[in-house]
Each structure stands twice: as C-alpha cells, then as structure tokens.
C-alpha cells in the first residue's frame, strides 16, 4: 500500500472520502498536480495585482512620468499613431490593461493613451511684445474659430486688453460678475494680473507665454517703437544705450517698451535697482513659474510649437503657422558684441528671466519628449509648413506691404519697421482659400473678425482698425 495507515489523511476529510481515495492508487499524482496548478494561479494573480508589473521594463533612474510642477500631459507621435489606429493592427483602446498607462521610450518620449490626454480648450496666452507672439496668436485664433470656442475679447472692439494698464476682468466683452460665462481662450495683449484673469477663465485653464532673447528683442523694439519718448531724440540704439542710465524716464507713456518689457508684460516691476537685481530676479522667476505651466522660447520657434502641441494634446496640424508681423530684412540691423553686452546690462532683469526659462525649456524637452523625438517632429512640422506654403502662397513666401494685393491682408505698419504679409495663390477652391486665408490674416483683422462672429456684428474694414 502507498499509505500504511488511515491516520495520514487530514481529520477534516470524511471516512467515505478516505476510503474512496485509498481505493485508487493514482490519487497522489492528482493531488500533486492540483497543488501545482493552484500555486501557479495564485502567483500569476499576484503578479497582475502588482502596480510595478510594467515599470520593471523601464530603465532605472528615470524621472517621474508626470511633471507634477507643471501638470503637463504629453504624448509622442507614436502615441498619436496608436490612438488613431495607424500603427499596424495594434488597438489598445478597448483593453483595460493598457488604459491610463504611461511608458517612456529610450528617447524619453512619453506616450499617453487617449483616455488620459484630452485636448485643452481653456487657455490663456500672455502675448508678449516682439517675441513672435503674433504667430502664436494666429494658431490660437484658428484653433478656437474652427471649433466654435469663445474668446475673451476686449470691450468696445479694442484689439488689446487695455495694455499697459494692469488687466482687470471688466476689460472683457460680455464678462459679468453676477452671470457666469464660459470663455475658452484669452490671448490679446495685456499686462498680466492673475487674480483678475482667474475671475474670467475657468479653474482648469492652461497658462503659457513666450520669451525672446533680450538682445534681438531690443533691436526689434527700437525699430518698431521708434516714436516713444525714450527713443525719439536718439539716432541709434547705441546712442540710446550710452545715455539711457541718465536720461531714461520710466514715468513717460510707452517707455516701458525700452526697459525690461518682458518683466513689465508679466505684471512685474521693470525698473529695478542693480543692487536689488538678485532678489528681484528671483522673485520674478518664482512668480512666473507659479502662474504659468509653460514658457516657450521664440528663438526655437518650431521646437516651441512641438512642445506646445504636446502640452495641449493637440495635433501637429494645429500648431503649423506662417510667420506673422515679421519685418523685412532691410529694416533689421546687426548688433555688435559690445552693443549686445550693453543690452544685457540695461535689461538685466529680462536677461535673468530669459536665461532661467531657456534652461527650463530644454529641461522639459529632455524629460518629456527627448531630443531625437523633438528633431523628428520639427522636421514633420517644417515639411507640413512647406506644403502649405506651396499650396497657399503666391511666390511661396512673405512680401513687403506695397506688394500685398488684398488690402484686407495688409498688416498694421508702425514705427520704422516694414511689416511683411502674404498674397494667396489664385484659383484656390473655396474651402482651401478659407483655410489659407486664416493662416495669413494679420492679428488686428483676425481680432475684429472674431469679434464680429462672436457678437454677430458686421466686420470692420481694414481702414477703421485702431491699435
């Protein structure tokens, strides 16, 4: 016998069961097999329940998948292909095991499933001066118009939110403290003040802005705002920089353009004692980081648009643009190294702000997208832009205002700058022409068109525009 005594069986097994088991010599192998299967099933179930099942595939030492300081939700182009069903036959949309799982590729690109990355439609863009912000504004205008979103537009058909005054909620057409209205996008020029903006925009609003290297920005400002008191009596930028420490008057109207205008636009003091620079710069940077989830860099415009696309969970087509409010080359002036250093000293606060956010910009790129993925998407964006230029633009590029054939597409001219615009290709079909015209419509005309559409008014002609 295999079992010499009946006492080898557990007491809780009934005598009839024990007699049945003893009558069959192969029952031991069945019990062993059942035990093995039971242990295997329990082990497999435990593995499924462990939250680290997939994280074991990740390289050690990677930063968190979510940047908790910014709350950005990003996705790579690979994720978009997966979500749109364009990557072979892979479809994870109905598989609960893959929902809301974020994985980083070796290139640090994050892809997020459709359930965890939704296009953002509540947006505040702080439009800073001479930073390429007009092109960003056009992107936001087109996105909002095509989706019938509501813009927080200036009252009384203005084109700015009463800049240079600090923003106030009652500057917005249709705002009421007693009647809640859902605004989606705020993007016209203002001097930022977060508590007032928050009265108008929803709590889940995404705040972003854009900076430009203070040296090239100052050269552009000097040409564009040539008539302001600070520049009116000097013959060159060098002459202004040689005398500004003694002659600059911050109290005169529009002189904020001549001194730390980035800080001014963010609602911060722009006239800082050099002895207090370290403290004031630290406070300014902390305030911007507190209020804005993303700060872009105009000097890397395509990279900025790719990062914006990821941040807003938009498509690459949503962030394509042509350069708007750009100057003719003949009104650009090369800045000497000596002049560049003078500009950095004069605009020291802006320079500190720029240096900090230039660093954080590339840190976000490295952590959330990766340089190789960024390079690939920038190439895609440039190809898309080239295709649109070939389709839309007569001559393929910008022209001086005297050569613009449609007066409604002429950009506003100001100061000594020559602001270029575009001519559309003839014989475009109606749908393509509408798409192309949105891409090249200058900001003042576009603002009035949005105002007319939103408030059911007849659009104004270009000649009646004010600024």
């Amino acid at each position: 016998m295999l079992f010499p005594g009946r006492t080898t069986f557990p007491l809780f097994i009934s005598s009839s069961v024990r007699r049945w088991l003893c009558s069959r010599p192969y029952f031991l192998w069945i019990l062993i097999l059942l035990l093995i299967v039971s242990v295997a099933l329990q082990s497999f179930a435990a593995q499924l329940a462990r939250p680290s099942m997939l994280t074991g595939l990740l390289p050690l030492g990677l930063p968190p998948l979510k940047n908790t300081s910014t709350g950005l939700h990003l996705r790579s182009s690979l994720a978009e292909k997966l979500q749109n069903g364009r990557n072979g036959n892979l479809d994870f949309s109905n598989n609960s095991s893959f929902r809301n799982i974020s994985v980083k590729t070796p290139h640090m690109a994050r892809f997020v499933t459709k359930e965890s990355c939704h296009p953002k439609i509540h947006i505040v863009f702080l439009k800073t001066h001479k930073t390429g912000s007009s092109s960003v504004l056009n992107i936001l205008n087109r996105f909002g118009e095509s989706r019938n979103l509501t813009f927080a537009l200036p009252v009384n058909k203005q084109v700015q939110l009463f800049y240079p005054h600090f923003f106030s909620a009652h500057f917005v057409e249709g705002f009421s403290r007693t009647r809640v209205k859902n605004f989606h996008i705020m993007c016209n020029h203002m001097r930022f003040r977060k508590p007032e903006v928050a009265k108008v925009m929803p709590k889940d609003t995404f705040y972003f802005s854009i900076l430009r290297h203070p040296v090239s920005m100052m050269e552009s400002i000097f040409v564009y705002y040539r008539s302001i008191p600070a520049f009116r009596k000097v013959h060159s930028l060098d002459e202004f920089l040689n005398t500004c420490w003694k002659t600059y008057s911050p109290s005169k109207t529009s002189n904020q353009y001549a001194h730390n205008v980035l800080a001014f636009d963010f609602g911060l003091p722009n006239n800082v004692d050099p002895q207090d620079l370290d403290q004031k710069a630290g406070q300014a940077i902390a305030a911007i980081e507190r209020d804005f989830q993303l700060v872009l860099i105009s000097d890397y415009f395509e990279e900025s648009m790719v990062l914006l696309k990821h941040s807003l969970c938009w498509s690459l087509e949503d962030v394509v643009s042509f350069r708007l409010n750009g100057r003719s080359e003949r009104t650009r002036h090369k800045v000497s190294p000596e002049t560049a250093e003078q500009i950095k000293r004069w605009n020291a606060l802006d320079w500190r702000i720029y240096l900090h956010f230039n660093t954080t910009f590339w840190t976000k790129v490295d952590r959330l997208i990766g340089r190789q993925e960024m390079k690939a998407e920038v190439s895609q964006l440039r190809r898309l832009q080239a295709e649109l230029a070939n389709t839309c633009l007569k001559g393929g590029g910008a022209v001086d205002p005297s050569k613009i054939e449609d007066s409604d597409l002429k950009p506003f001219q100001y100061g000594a700058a020559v602001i270029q615009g575009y001519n559309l290709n003839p014989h475009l079909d109606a749908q393509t022409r509408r798409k192309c015209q949105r891409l090249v419509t200058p900001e003042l005309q576009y603002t009035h068109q949005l105002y007319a559409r939103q408030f059911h008014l007849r659009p104004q002609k270009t000649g009646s525009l004010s600024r």
Side-chain angles (χ1 to χ4, degrees), residues 324-338:
L324 295 182
N325 209 31
R327 285 181 294 157
S328 169
E329 287 297 327
R330 72 173 185 271
T331 62
R332 297 175 182 270
H333 305 283
K334 188 175 181 180
V335 175
S336 70
E338 294 77 18

Side-chain angles (χ1 to χ4, degrees), residues 73-112:
H73 295 281
L74 306 180
R75 63 186 177 183
S76 68
S77 58
L78 174 59
E80 295 174 31
K81 292 178 182 178
L82 289 173
Q83 292 166 17
N84 294 324
R86 296 194 295 265
N87 191 18
N89 296 318
L90 295 177
D91 182 7
F92 298 147
S93 60
N94 296 318
N95 190 335
S96 61
S97 298
F98 288 89
R99 288 176 185 167
N100 300 321
I101 294 175
S102 300
V103 180
K104 285 203 172 183
T105 69
H107 300 313
M108 302 288 287
R110 178 181 180 185
F111 71 85
V112 181

Side-chain angles (χ1 to χ4, degrees), residues 241-456:
L241 294 168
N242 289 330
T243 60
C244 58
W245 295 99
K246 295 181 179 179
T247 61
Y248 173 78
S249 175
S251 62
K252 291 186 177 180
T253 303
S254 298
N255 267 5
Q256 77 275 357
Y257 294 116
H259 195 204
N260 291 316
V261 67
L262 287 176
F264 186 90
D265 288 353
F266 278 96
L268 304 166
N270 64 319
N271 296 295
V272 177
D273 190 313
Q275 294 181 349
D276 299 329
L277 178 62
D278 290 342
Q279 178 186 2
K280 297 300 183 182
Q283 292 172 350
I285 290 167
I288 296 171
E289 287 189 325
R290 180 191 65 227
D291 293 336
F292 291 83
Q293 288 101 314
L294 181 65
V295 177
L296 304 175
I297 302 296
S298 175
D299 309 271
Y300 308 100
F301 192 81
E302 287 93 353
E303 290 84 352
S304 289
M305 293 306 98
V306 170
L307 187 55
L308 179 66
K309 165 239 177 186
H310 281 275
S311 303
L312 298 178
C313 292
W314 290 4
S315 71
L316 206 61
E317 290 79 6
D318 291 326
V319 297
V320 70
S321 67
F322 298 138
R323 191 179 70 160
L324 295 182
N325 209 31
R327 285 181 294 157
S328 169
E329 287 297 327
R330 72 173 185 271
T331 62
R332 297 175 182 270
H333 305 283
K334 188 175 181 180
V335 175
S336 70
E338 294 77 18
T339 301
E341 291 304 314
Q342 284 184 294
I343 292 172
K344 292 176 187 177
R345 287 194 296 271
W346 172 242
N347 292 317
L349 182 56
D350 278 1
W351 178 234
R352 294 284 189 93
I353 292 171
Y354 176 84
L355 287 176
H356 175 84
F357 286 103
N358 183 56
T359 299
T360 61
F361 175 85
W362 290 108
T363 299
K364 282 185 172 67
V365 169
D366 289 336
R367 289 186 59 198
L368 304 172
I369 301 177
R371 299 291 176 107
Q372 291 187 1
E373 175 72 11
M374 172 62 80
K375 184 178 180 180
E377 292 202 45
V378 166
S379 296
Q380 294 174 29
L381 182 61
R382 288 173 177 167
R383 284 197 297 271
L384 180 58
Q385 180 176 306
E387 291 170 2
L388 283 170
N390 184 61
T391 299
C392 296
L393 304 181
K394 183 178 180 181
V399 297
D400 285 352
S402 61
K403 297 180 180 179
I404 298 176
E405 299 165 358
D406 185 347
S407 60
D408 287 336
L409 296 181
K410 284 187 177 182
F412 182 76
Q413 304 295 312
Y414 192 76
V418 176
I419 307 301
Q420 294 186 311
Y422 299 92
N423 288 316
L424 295 179
N425 273 328
H427 313 305
L428 295 173
D429 64 78
Q431 182 177 359
T432 304
R433 184 175 181 82
R434 282 194 300 271
K435 178 179 179 180
C436 293
Q437 187 158 337
R438 290 189 183 105
L439 280 160
V440 302
T441 299
E443 62 179 280
L444 304 188
Q445 288 94 312
Y446 215 141
T447 297
H448 283 286
Q449 289 175 19
L450 292 174
Y451 198 104
R453 167 187 155 274
Q454 192 162 304
F455 298 102
H456 309 292

